[in-house]
Amino acid sequence: MNRLTMTWLAVLTAAVAVAQSDTATVKGEQLQEVFVNANNAQRRLSTVQIGAEQIQVKDLVSKPVLFGEADIMRSMQLLPGVKSESDASSSFQVRGGTSAQNTILYDEAPVYNIGHLAGLFSAFNDEALATATLYKGLIPAQYGGASSAVLDIATRTGNRQQWHGSASVGLLAAKAAVEGPLVKDKLGMLLTVRRSYADMFLKLSKDFRGNTLYFYDANLKLDYQLNDRNQLFLSFLASHDRTAIEEMVDIRWTNLAGSLSWLSYLGKRSTSQTTLFASSYDTDNGIWLLGTNIAYLGHIRHVGLRQNFRLLTGRHEVNAGLQTMLTDVKSAEWQRVTNHEKEQRKAWDNALWANWQYEASERLAFSAGLRLTTFSALGGPFYYDIDDKGQITWMYRRRTNRPVKTHLTLEPRLSMVWKATPLLSVKAGYSRTSQNLHALRSQSTSTPFDRYTMSSNLVKPEVADQVSLGFFAMTPNQAYDFSLEGYYRRVDNVLDYRDGISFSSAIEIERLVLAGKGRGYGAELSARKNSGRLTGWLSYTLSWSQTQIEGVNQGRWYDANNDRRHDINIVASYRLSPRWQFSAVWVYNSGQAFTAPSAKYEVIDNYIYYYAERNGYRAPDYHHLDLSATWTKKSSNGRWTREWVFGIYNVYNRYNPFLINFEDSQSGHRTKAKQYSLFGIVPSVSFNIKF
């Protein structure tokens, strides 16, 4: 792990420790989907889509979460086949893929780094959200840009008849929302804002008074009813984080995303949606390290147009459309003393798709899709050729915006469901997906120090092929349902760092990496209880994730750094009375793979580590129990609702591994592994009011 990343983790660990002073210890598609069905047992059994999970935001209140915040990302991480990156992280990994291999759409606009304070809070305010659908198996042809999974988040619209509002004060953050008619029955608005106040806790400490730790975000949604057949939607997201330690490090990152959509109803069940979208993810990092001041910047920016037609007639459903998008990626720009270097490139990304779903009979349904992606790296900056050792052999520059290299990928998708009985179904699916934006990181978690690059004359698109098979059953009254899914996933053109290389070794990112292949396979088991006072589910995932790259680990297959063999999630919610609801979550993950030195030797008073195997060691197992209680009371006239949420994160105070570092003794003769943990037990309380 490189020094900048280690410093980043240390900054967050120290800052959270202060903010939590006495309670935690640090040890070492848009609303175009007008026909959305409830995610009930019957739907899970009969839908043709294998591996799709939908979360209704109204269900989040029953899940215990960190700092009293209802969080759609943490609920997503409790699903079978989905894993969190690390303790308290908002990012998620699906079926052996990394979080960087996921596409996250916020009302059609792509977003990145979806956590505040390195993931302690999700970047998505639950007050602004309606639904989220995760495609972890077969991905419909209308979605692309991901070799692992797609998360499609739809925000809710404001009330067009009357005004409503809410406010919440929690342990480290406060939020408010207001919605209502700007023009009654015509134009509705929803506005949400949220800000943390951890920086106020820091100012109470003499040792950390000069440090900064905060975030804020805002969401705006406008919904204009043109007539009975046409609607306009304007959606906007803005979020910002800053973490700084005086005279040591200053880290900032910002997410902006916006979309303007025109939804037209072509008939009783068919729609057309045209969307203009734009997004920007920027990082601005400064660090004082070993007497040297380093400034590091990067960004990912998109602007595009998307057109999708949804046609339903009889037993047929067709989704067809196109998308064109310009992408601008600054892999890195840094200033080290007098040395200023930058690598920034642009690309033109286009896609055509058609997805057909056919209900052949009451028992049998099919879905088939085809997506064509063309990705062109554009001229302007330098491109180059490199040799086997990563040295540049030739540099050249094409005319600005002239294609340097175009990658064309054809992506078929196919799935089916056979209902053997009204209570039992079998599903199978195959999909090919591609990804042209690649993230490089020297650890398993997301940080603002991640570097990104696009497919180019040297880097090819990641292409993933996945097959899935699943069995689904439910009881006659739908009170219980069960599922068992198996999958095998192969990915070509996976990138990883060369041995002994970190992200800051050179500005030309293609000199730092090698391409190979990856594979992931496993099984997911789920059992759910859907009715009664006690509801919840149990999920278990058994999985493998491996990588093979010539030139890394002597060309042998090795476990990916997100490989975890066993994952167990138990979620329970009990409705005691109309006022009281109790919830519990227990999470268990077996140890994650990481690289450790096998030996070291001394060269001119310097100790050099020798690594015999990539990711050949395992961190300790990870597990914790979380509890919450929610008290709700409405006023006598029904206009006001008060709510208290009490929670305990990590009830039995388990110190789970967040970072494992290798440290030498003062003499240098002995080296030991030291585990750093982010949280012990964390109680929380929040007060919410709605009107």
Side-chain angles (χ1 to χ4, degrees), residues 376-430:
S376 300
L378 300 179
F382 280 106
Y383 289 81
Y384 40 85
D385 295 327
I386 61 175
D387 60 20
D388 293 340
K389 296 182 180 179
Q391 300 303 310
I392 296 176
T393 60
W394 185 256
M395 297 183 67
Y396 55 92
R397 175 180 281 177
R398 291 281 193 270
R399 191 174 60 200
T400 299
N401 295 330
R402 179 182 176 183
V404 175
K405 175 73 174 180
T406 296
H407 300 276
L408 187 149
T409 310
L410 198 59
E411 307 171 23
R413 291 99 188 267
L414 179 66
S415 67
M416 58 80 66
V417 57
W418 175 56
K419 301 176 188 175
T421 73
L423 303 178
L424 176 66
S425 69
V426 181
K427 300 183 186 183
Y430 162 77

Side-chain angles (χ1 to χ4, degrees), residues 194-466:
R194 180 172 54 164
R195 196 201 192 276
S196 68
Y197 32 78
D199 49 331
M200 299 179 184
F201 287 94
L202 294 176
K203 295 183 185 301
L204 299 178
S205 168
K206 181 184 297 186
D207 295 331
F208 294 94
R209 189 170 296 163
N211 302 337
T212 301
L213 181 69
Y214 74 88
F215 74 83
Y216 63 81
D217 57 44
N219 307 80
L220 175 67
K221 185 71 171 283
L222 298 177
D223 167 23
Y224 184 64
Q225 187 78 39
L226 291 170
N227 51 46
D228 291 342
R229 290 183 173 270
N230 295 277
Q231 283 179 274
L232 291 178
F233 301 95
L234 176 64
S235 177
F236 181 72
L237 162 70
S239 71
H240 177 75
D241 282 71
R242 185 183 180 194
T243 301
I245 289 183
E246 190 175 16
E247 297 183 352
M248 183 177 177
V249 65
D250 191 349
I251 305 170
R252 312 178 194 205
W253 66 100
T254 301
N255 255 315
L256 298 173
S259 61
L260 176 62
S261 295
W262 171 29
L263 173 63
S264 179
Y265 298 88
L266 304 178
K268 292 183 179 180
R269 305 178 62 202
S270 299
T271 61
S272 165
Q273 179 162 311
T274 307
T275 302
L276 178 66
F277 62 87
S279 68
S280 177
Y281 166 61
D282 292 79
T283 61
D284 183 356
N285 309 309
I287 187 168
W288 180 263
L289 184 66
L290 301 177
T292 301
N293 186 33
I294 302 173
Y296 168 78
L297 298 91
H299 68 235
I300 306 172
R301 294 171 183 167
H302 300 288
V303 60
L305 178 67
R306 175 184 175 93
Q307 172 64 53
N308 190 73
F309 295 97
R310 188 185 187 193
L311 309 175
L312 291 92
T313 174
R315 295 183 174 184
H316 303 267
E317 177 183 338
V318 175
N319 277 276
L322 58 87
Q323 178 175 290
T324 183
M325 179 174 69
L326 291 173
T327 300
D328 179 351
V329 173
K330 183 189 289 183
S331 169
E333 180 178 6
W334 53 50
Q335 181 78 41
R336 289 187 277 195
V337 191
T338 60
N339 182 25
H340 180 268
E341 296 178 296
K342 179 176 74 169
E343 183 173 77
Q344 181 176 349
R345 292 177 177 172
K346 297 181 181 181
W348 188 21
D349 191 355
N350 296 281
L352 293 168
W353 64 83
N355 201 88
W356 170 59
Q357 185 172 316
Y358 175 58
E359 188 177 348
S361 67
E362 291 184 358
R363 289 194 173 189
L364 188 62
F366 298 92
S367 177
L370 189 64
R371 184 181 182 93
L372 175 63
T373 299
T374 63
F375 185 90
S376 300
L378 300 179
F382 280 106
Y383 289 81
Y384 40 85
D385 295 327
I386 61 175
D387 60 20
D388 293 340
K389 296 182 180 179
Q391 300 303 310
I392 296 176
T393 60
W394 185 256
M395 297 183 67
Y396 55 92
R397 175 180 281 177
R398 291 281 193 270
R399 191 174 60 200
T400 299
N401 295 330
R402 179 182 176 183
V404 175
K405 175 73 174 180
T406 296
H407 300 276
L408 187 149
T409 310
L410 198 59
E411 307 171 23
R413 291 99 188 267
L414 179 66
S415 67
M416 58 80 66
V417 57
W418 175 56
K419 301 176 188 175
T421 73
L423 303 178
L424 176 66
S425 69
V426 181
K427 300 183 186 183
Y430 162 77
S431 68
R432 167 170 287 187
T433 57
S434 69
Q435 180 170 341
N436 286 285
L437 183 63
H438 317 271
L440 283 304
R441 56 183 58 149
S442 56
Q443 66 289 322
S444 60
T445 57
S446 306
T447 76
F449 292 104
D450 294 341
R451 290 190 63 179
Y452 291 83
T453 191
M454 296 183 293
S455 299
S456 65
N457 62 313
L458 298 178
V459 177
K460 298 179 180 180
E462 282 189 11
V463 179
D465 293 279
Q466 182 176 171

